[in-house]
Amino acid sequence: MIKSLVGGIVAATAFVMLSSSAIAAGPEIVKGPAAEPDCFAPWAADTQFFKFPKKDGPYRIALANGYIANTWRIQMVQTAKAYAAQKDVAAKLKEFKVVSTGEDVPAQISAINNFIDSGYDAIVVNAQNPTAFGPVIKRAKEAGVVLVAFDNILDTKDAINVNVDQKGLGELWGKWLVTHVPNGGKVLEVRGVAGTSVDTDRHNGIHEALDASGKKWAVTEVVGKWDDGVAQKASADAIATNGPFDGVTGQGGDTGIVQAMIDAKHPFVPFGGETENGFRKFCAAHAADGLKCSSAGTGPAQVAVAIKTAISALEGNVVPQSVKLPLAIVEDPNFKAGQDFFPDQSDNFFVGNSFPTCGINFTAQEIMGQTKADQ
């Protein structure tokens, strides 16, 4: 009985020590501003600031990506590798690992768990689902692993989120249609990848702007997965069955959407879309024909800001729990060749791959020289 009691006390003591250690491993909540306030801008006035225990480098950092089958994600992976290869960044890295797990949420969670178990210092993630990662977020915090979500972020205050105002982006596109389709009408909405926070937030922003206008709208929704080929086919089918439309908004794959309009001889109409080079080429070439565009978003280079945030946190610097990135916006009639789009570059290249306030800038060659493969 005494032996059992002693054993229980020892076990309980070990549990308390483990729990205390786990709690201590997480970040301390401190006052701002961030170490680089121009780069790490807090999302809102009440955003908390984190200070992680300082670790000595060089660091092992992993990118746990999900969906890979569209241009934005491919370019994002290429950009991550290009950033990790830059001299000043590479000097701080012992290892940089990349995996893409597709649309399988459990597979992405398993990848993050594997990185935690393997002793990585930080993990950046483009999450397939904002709410399914609770247990792995807790594990990362207890293990002292810096977890940074970007683009498709996590519904938590226990990890760092880096993103643009995705709902605000949807509102921007919706207001563009409200302004340029003055009597309301039929709208084609080409959505992204179902279940992701980006798709949901942008969709909600579009509809809030349309609903607030007081005009009558009939919206046809199709899924384009932010991919030119998928979006082109979905748009072609929608035009054939529900067209013609008075306005269009697309979350991505916008070059394919315009090509579907051209192939179907659909009149050019106002369009609120993303920042693909091909889309902006079309917007510049056909503005006089009725393709009045708002092109806005943030390029795949936001992954570089996420990696930079992770490194800064590992170095013991103060960072916001939620970092707000600026949008890259160009609207008719201000599309300028060589600045807002690049006639000699691929249509599938996303424009807007610099964040000057963070010292981040990439050439097309630097990005396209990398592969999309896991490493």
Side-chain angles (χ1 to χ4, degrees), residues 42 93 103 109 121 127-128 140 155 211 264 271 275 318-319 324 332:
L93 299 178
E103 296 182 72
I109 293 171
D121 300 300
Q128 280 303 115
D155 186 13
D211 293 344
F271 194 135
T275 62
V318 175
V319 296
K324 189 173 186 177
D332 180 79

Side-chain angles (χ1 to χ4, degrees), residues 22 24 29 31 36 54 99 109 158 191 194 207 218 230 245 252-253 283 313 328 359 375:
I29 297 174
K31 292 184 178 180
E36 297 182 51
K54 182 178 179 180
V99 297
I109 293 171
D158 287 327
R191 299 188 61 170
H207 283 264
V230 177
F245 297 100
C283 293
Q375 68 176 31

